[in-house]
Amino acid sequence: MSVVSSTPVAAAQAAVKPMICETGWREAILVTVALWSFVGVIYLPILMERHPGEGWTSVVLDEVTLILSMVVALPLFTVFRGTRNWELMPRSLALAGAVLLAAIFQASFDLLYTGFVANRLDTAWENLPTDLSRAYRATFNYVCVFGVNVALFHLISARSHEVRQARELAQALAAAQHAQLAALRYQLNPHFLFNTLNAISAMIVTRRNDEAEVMTDKLSSFLRASLASDPTELVPLDQELSLMEDYLEIESIRFGERLHVEIDCATDACSIPIPSFLLQPLVENAIKYGVAPSLEPVVIRVTGRRDGEELIVTVEDDGRGAGSAVKTGGAGVGLQNIRQRLTALYGENASLTAARRNPGFAATIRLPVVKPDTA
């Protein structure tokens, strides 16, 4: 059958950018079947006018050629894939030539098929034209539709390419975020380790061997937990607070009665996940700038509570030290580290505020209860 279409062959030429084809045979077959089925529906009234009074048998025989059209369109997909790495002009010419050959083949088959049906199946088909004029019109119509077919190959290929690029970009961003979080997570202040080792050394020199042994065991456990944790892992708040308690126990061996610790977690806040080791820089700042310079006892208080859809965690001390964290209003490296981690995980939905008090210093983290997507 000949097909009516207003789409020019330029549609095929416009669809031939040199790009990597991401489309598989399944998509190509589906789009081809959909296109030619649509053409069959659009062309049905014309077929009914072509076979007046002949019943549905003649119409069905005419529509059967659509199956061949679908089959003929598939080699075009082979050409489309085979020329994907060609330059634009050679590829355009190759696809245009393939479309023209497919159209000539289909139009020629239509003429032969008309003669076969007229001689063997339905004599009414003898009235259908089989001259050159019909062949020309049919060829032009088929060029248009096969051209659209190739354009659809390009469309679904470009779409698949975009989806793949978006997926790869998302994976790259996730990998970059993971690397950023890992880098931020492992920027633990080395002063803690150095100070602890110095304290252990001093205990050994002064023959406080039992205290040195306890401190060494706690340091070992703390560092093991630190290195074993996933930098992007979220842990329940109570687990994070337990780890900070271990950390403060190490420091309490150093400072003795000068350090008092209060940790309080509201029942509805303890199970809320937060980034692992998020509180460590805050607690370390409290030790470094609150406890270490002070000759008087200092209380470090860590609290966690839920306020609607927000988790609020506060680390505060009542020390009278005037370290750099206090002077800079909380713009130290450790606090910047926390802000960057929060931004990487929660965007602008989380925040860290830090301010001097009289006496002491307080840092407050606010983050959403909803678990962030770090995949």
Side-chain angles (χ1 to χ4, degrees):
M1 92 178 167
S2 58
V3 189
V4 176
S5 174
S6 61
T7 305
V9 70
Q13 297 175 341
V16 290
K17 289 183 179 180
M19 61 173 289
I20 298 177
C21 179
E22 305 292 342
T23 311
W25 279 101
R26 180 177 179 275
E27 292 83 359
I29 292 173
L30 288 177
V31 74
T32 298
V33 171
L35 172 63
W36 288 97
S37 298
F38 175 75
V39 169
V41 172
I42 295 299
Y43 199 69
L44 184 59
I46 298 177
L47 294 183
M48 295 176 67
E49 292 180 3
R50 177 185 291 179
H51 305 283
E54 298 178 22
W56 283 98
T57 302
S58 293
V59 175
V60 171
L61 287 174
D62 221 339
E63 288 273 18
V64 164
T65 57
L66 283 173
I67 298 175
L68 179 64
S69 300
M70 297 176 189
V71 173
V72 171
L74 294 180
L76 293 178
F77 184 64
T78 302
V79 177
F80 181 81
R81 287 171 62 99
T83 60
R84 59 191 175 187
N85 295 323
W86 291 18
E87 295 294 331
L88 178 60
M89 185 56 67
R91 192 180 189 208
S92 299
L93 293 175
L95 285 173
V99 167
L100 181 59
L101 288 176
I104 292 174
F105 174 82
Q106 183 70 53
S108 300
F109 175 84
D110 280 359
L111 296 180
L112 295 175
Y113 180 74
T114 299
F116 172 81
V117 174
N119 295 330
R120 303 290 183 88
L121 302 176
D122 192 344
T123 56
W125 282 49
E126 294 178 353
N127 297 325
L128 297 179
T130 57
D131 54 10
L132 187 60
S133 175
R134 180 190 172 188
Y136 173 78
R137 292 195 304 271
T139 300
F140 176 78
N141 292 333
Y142 279 121
V143 163
C144 294
V145 182
F146 281 126
V148 172
N149 214 148
V150 172
L152 290 176
F153 290 156
H154 175 77
L155 180 64
I156 59 176
S157 177
R159 176 58 182 164
S160 298
H161 187 68
E162 290 176 0
V163 169
R164 179 179 176 181
Q165 283 187 324
R167 183 170 58 249
E168 290 177 349
L169 178 60
Q171 292 172 349
L173 291 176
Q177 183 191 51
H178 190 282
Q180 179 190 17
L181 290 173
L184 293 173
R185 162 63 184 80
Y186 289 130
Q187 285 178 2
L188 293 178
N189 194 332
H191 291 298
F192 159 68
L193 181 58
F194 297 154
N195 291 338
T196 304
L197 292 176
N198 287 336
I200 293 174
S201 176
M203 290 175 185
I204 295 175
V205 170
T206 57
R207 300 187 182 280
R208 297 161 57 191
N209 295 335
D210 291 341
E211 292 183 10
E213 183 177 354
V214 172
M215 195 169 188
T216 301
D217 289 341
K218 290 185 177 295
L219 175 62
S220 175
S221 299
F222 181 81
L223 291 178
R224 186 182 301 111
S226 173
L227 295 174
S229 67
D230 184 343
T232 61
E233 180 185 14
L234 299 178
V235 299
L237 176 60
D238 56 356
Q239 181 177 329
E240 175 78 358
L241 293 179
S242 177
L243 195 60
M244 292 304 100
E245 189 173 10
D246 292 341
Y247 172 84
L248 288 168
E249 284 184 7
I250 297 173
E251 297 290 10
S252 67
I253 299 174
R254 287 178 56 202
F255 295 105
E257 294 300 323
R258 291 164 55 195
L259 172 60
H260 297 274
V261 177
E262 296 179 5
I263 296 179
D264 180 31
C265 181
T267 304
D268 60 349
C270 288
S271 60
I272 297 175
I274 70 170
S276 64
F277 279 82
L278 185 69
L279 303 182
Q280 195 273 341
L282 299 180
V283 176
E284 186 169 12
N285 275 351
I287 292 289
K288 183 177 180 180
Y289 301 117
V291 180
S294 177
L295 299 178
E296 301 176 0
V298 174
V299 177
I300 293 181
R301 185 177 296 106
V302 184
T303 59
R305 62 184 177 86
R306 179 168 181 167
D307 182 11
E309 294 303 310
E310 279 191 326
L311 173 67
I312 302 175
V313 183
T314 302
V315 178
E316 56 186 331
D317 67 80
D318 59 2
R320 299 180 181 275
S324 62
V326 176
K327 290 181 178 180
T328 58
V333 174
L335 303 187
Q336 291 176 1
N337 181 300
I338 293 175
R339 289 191 176 97
Q340 291 174 18
R341 291 185 70 189
L342 291 174
T343 300
L345 283 169
Y346 300 95
E348 297 187 1
N349 295 323
S351 65
L352 166 65
T353 58
R356 184 176 181 177
R357 292 183 176 179
N358 188 22
F361 192 80
T364 301
I365 294 176
R366 291 178 174 267
L367 50 85
V369 173
V370 179
K371 181 178 179 180
D373 183 9
T374 57

